Amino acid sequence: MKKEKKLKSNALAIYGTIHDLKSPLSLTYLLISRFAGKESDHVKKQSFLACKAQLYTLSNVIETLLSDLKMTDQHVSIKKEPVDLRGLIDSIIENLSVLYFNKHFTLLIEDKMETDWIEADLFYLRNSLTNLLDNSLKYSDENVKIEILLEKRLDTFSIAIKDTGWGISGKLRKKLFAQCCRGDRHDQPKGHGLGLMYTARVVKNMGGDLTFQSVEGEGSTFIITLPC
């Protein structure tokens, strides 16, 4: 019981510490956004945008950690609101393009939606799409091709993200959404495998489903399906 109490106390301390990072990070992001908007010098403006993209990524990591800690013990509260899906995707791509400024890639969007507006939790949908698109860029070689397909059916809509990256090995597919599951390539970027676990849980809490198809060496397709 003492060990269990200590572990719980440590978990709360970690949660509190991570949570305390949000305020200064949000303020810094806001200030840099203002500086970037007012800067006329191209080189300086690009530097501000690069800093902004890094802060955006850090903010997403912090929210992922916090949500993973929350979801261990309780259901995450979902708040639906009107979301401009195409505008959301464009803003995510803009940030990731700055973050991966030295990587050559092509990105295509096929929009089969009747409208750009959907009902969803903007915060969690943004983080989920950021995780999936970041993975497509992170776990791939130069000139990776990424395709995004937006489609609406009778009572659901889907967002499919397909890439020509490294793909996922057979032994990892069954445990892909488990905590700390990550690729086994020796040259892959460092990480803890929390992003996909977070995305799968969040999509489930939004009443949807996250599925994937992958062939090692050829690429992967992740599909978020959510109720309208």
Side-chain angles (χ1 to χ4, degrees):
M1 289 178 67
K2 287 182 179 180
K3 287 182 178 179
E4 186 177 342
K5 187 176 181 181
K6 186 176 181 180
L7 286 171
K8 188 173 182 180
S9 177
N10 289 341
L12 288 172
I14 293 170
Y15 181 89
T17 301
I18 296 172
H19 188 273
D20 289 344
L21 294 172
K22 291 177 63 178
S23 294
L25 183 64
S26 297
L27 178 58
T28 306
Y29 183 88
L30 177 62
L31 290 173
I32 289 180
S33 296
R34 288 178 179 175
F35 292 149
K38 295 179 179 180
E39 184 58 63
S40 57
D41 183 274
H42 178 71
V43 175
K44 291 181 180 179
K45 188 179 185 70
Q46 289 304 115
S47 296
F48 280 131
L49 290 175
C51 291
K52 182 180 174 182
Q54 292 285 1
L55 288 171
Y56 176 84
T57 301
L58 180 57
S59 177
N60 189 59
V61 170
I62 289 174
E63 292 300 342
T64 298
L65 288 171
L66 288 174
S67 295
D68 281 338
L69 287 170
K70 284 181 183 178
M71 286 185 282
T72 301
D73 301 315
Q74 58 186 347
H75 186 82
V76 172
S77 177
I78 300 298
K79 298 178 182 178
K80 281 193 172 185
E81 60 181 301
V83 175
D84 178 1
L85 181 58
R86 188 61 183 267
L88 173 62
I89 291 173
D90 288 343
S91 69
I92 293 171
I93 293 170
E94 182 181 356
N95 278 296
L96 291 176
S97 295
V98 175
L99 188 63
Y100 290 91
F101 69 94
N102 59 345
K103 185 164 191 172
H104 296 96
F105 66 91
T106 57
L107 192 144
L108 301 172
I109 300 177
E110 185 177 357
D111 192 347
K112 294 184 177 181
M113 300 280 285
E114 297 173 356
T115 174
D116 288 336
W117 292 90
I118 59 170
E119 288 286 328
D121 188 299
L122 174 60
F123 176 79
Y124 288 119
L125 183 59
R126 175 189 291 275
N127 286 351
S128 297
L129 292 176
T130 298
N131 283 332
L132 294 180
L133 286 167
D134 183 63
N135 282 349
S136 290
L137 289 166
K138 186 186 298 180
Y139 302 113
S140 61
D141 295 318
E142 286 292 320
N143 300 312
V144 60
K145 182 179 179 182
I146 301 172
E147 298 177 74
I148 302 174
L149 173 61
L150 310 177
E151 195 168 10
K152 184 182 181 300
R153 296 181 178 85
L154 289 176
D155 54 356
T156 63
F157 68 89
S158 64
I159 307 166
I161 299 175
K162 179 181 180 181
D163 64 59
T164 56
W166 297 341
I168 304 165
S169 65
K171 67 179 183 180
L172 289 178
R173 288 175 202 157
K174 290 184 179 180
K175 56 180 182 179
L176 190 63
F177 300 142
Q179 190 168 4
C180 299
C181 174
R182 53 191 302 271
D184 50 5
R185 284 176 58 122
H186 71 280
D187 59 342
Q188 75 173 25
K190 293 181 180 180
H192 301 283
L194 292 172
L196 281 178
M197 181 184 72
Y198 164 89
T199 301
R201 286 180 175 180
V202 163
V203 170
K204 183 178 180 181
N205 281 325
M206 288 193 287
D209 194 24
L210 176 65
T211 57
F212 75 97
Q213 301 171 349
S214 184
V215 177
E216 189 173 10
E218 296 183 16
S220 305
T221 301
F222 284 84
I223 305 171
I224 292 177
T225 303
L226 292 168
C228 293

